[in-house]
Amino acid sequence: MAAIGESYSRGRTVVEERPFEVLVGLAGLLLLFDLVSGMATGRYSVSRIGRFVWDGLMYGLIIGLAGIGLSLTYGILQFANFAHGDYITSGAFMGWGITYVIAGWGSANFGHLLLVAPQGNVTGGLLEIGITSTPFAVLVGLVAAGLATILLVLLLDRIVYRPMRDAGGIPLLIASIGVAFALRYLVVLVYSARTRGTTLRQPGTAIPLVDGSLLVDAHDATLLVATVALMVGVHLLLQRTKLGKAMRAMSDNRDLALITGIPTERVIRWTWIIGGGLSGMAGYLMVLWTGTIDFQFGWLLLLLIFAAVILGGIGSVYGAIFGGLVIGIAMRLSLVWLPTGDFDLVAAFGIMILVLLLKPQGLFAGRTTA
């Protein structure tokens, strides 16, 4: 009886001291109960739920991969880089230009191919671009997207950010907004504002579920393997190399890192290289997965990246990855209860706000950079 009384007293204290957390927990349990009971009774299609979860995982991997660069930039340079989304777009266009040139060599005008075919109705479908049909072109394009974005961000750092580095986070943030608009409309000037189809439909494997099947195609598998491999690579770099240790030290205390002899400019340069390369490849992989590209998809993705980074704890690489997965899956799974359209964005930002109300520093608070 004493144990029961103690448990009751502890539960009552929690309810009185943290009523909002209790309400959020109850709401989550109700949604989970509705989902499980709905699938058990046939009210919700198991195959449809499976599709939502799988699409959310794919989306979350892209958001998490792109979020690593944003977290690194904040953790080491101490400013929120609003140009990050346009790095994603720029890298994707440059990478897909190389893919088009390789896949369409001799079948269309070189300039049209390099500019991702703004004229002549040359599409990825007509060129039969895909990981199974043109694997070399896709892999070279992926690498090219990362390398081109690295060159772009190093150039912008040299011209814009380095002269302002000692001015503080706010001037750098404002400068990044200017860079974002300049890059976005430079992309429009060079590549046009037209939306393009980029890939051929790929063969897939049907995974049987209770009331249907889940189709996983070759581009899904490519996205999964590539993003996981890159994330593991970042983990190993941060934990097993001298550069990674220097990056973590500089993120914890930049002044102390400088006093102890850590080459801070070299660390900053590598921060741009890693963040830029990952953002360019994330953009390329998203286009590979969705099959379309346009001039503002990176800017729209940036809002979700910020949500994921803030949710996980801004400055934390692992927080960005985890936050990306949570945002991606929550966005798609919310369509079980919400209308289709942009309502999934409401769910993504709603979750971010709830977590920040409960834990203002994010889920991985205190773990900066790694």
Side-chain angles (χ1 to χ4, degrees), residues 20-30:
F20 182 70
E21 294 182 27
V22 173
L23 287 174
V24 171
L26 288 174
L29 288 174
L30 286 174

Side-chain angles (χ1 to χ4, degrees), residues 313-330:
I314 191 163
S316 169
V317 166
Y318 302 133
I321 295 170
F322 181 78
L325 292 173
V326 170
I327 291 293
I329 293 174

Side-chain angles (χ1 to χ4, degrees), residues 186-223:
L186 182 61
V187 167
V188 173
L189 180 65
V190 174
Y191 293 98
S192 85
R194 202 183 87 184
T195 300
R196 288 95 151 162
T198 54
T199 56
L200 184 69
R201 186 178 179 85
Q202 296 295 289
T205 301
I207 300 175
L209 297 175
V210 175
D211 54 3
S213 61
L214 171 66
L215 182 65
V216 177
D217 67 26
H219 286 162
D220 292 341
T222 303
L223 171 60

Side-chain angles (χ1 to χ4, degrees), residues 72 238-239 244 248 251 315-318 366-370:
L72 285 173
L238 291 173
Q239 299 295 334
R248 288 188 282 129
S251 177
S316 169
V317 166
Y318 302 133
R367 293 186 59 84
T368 56
T369 301

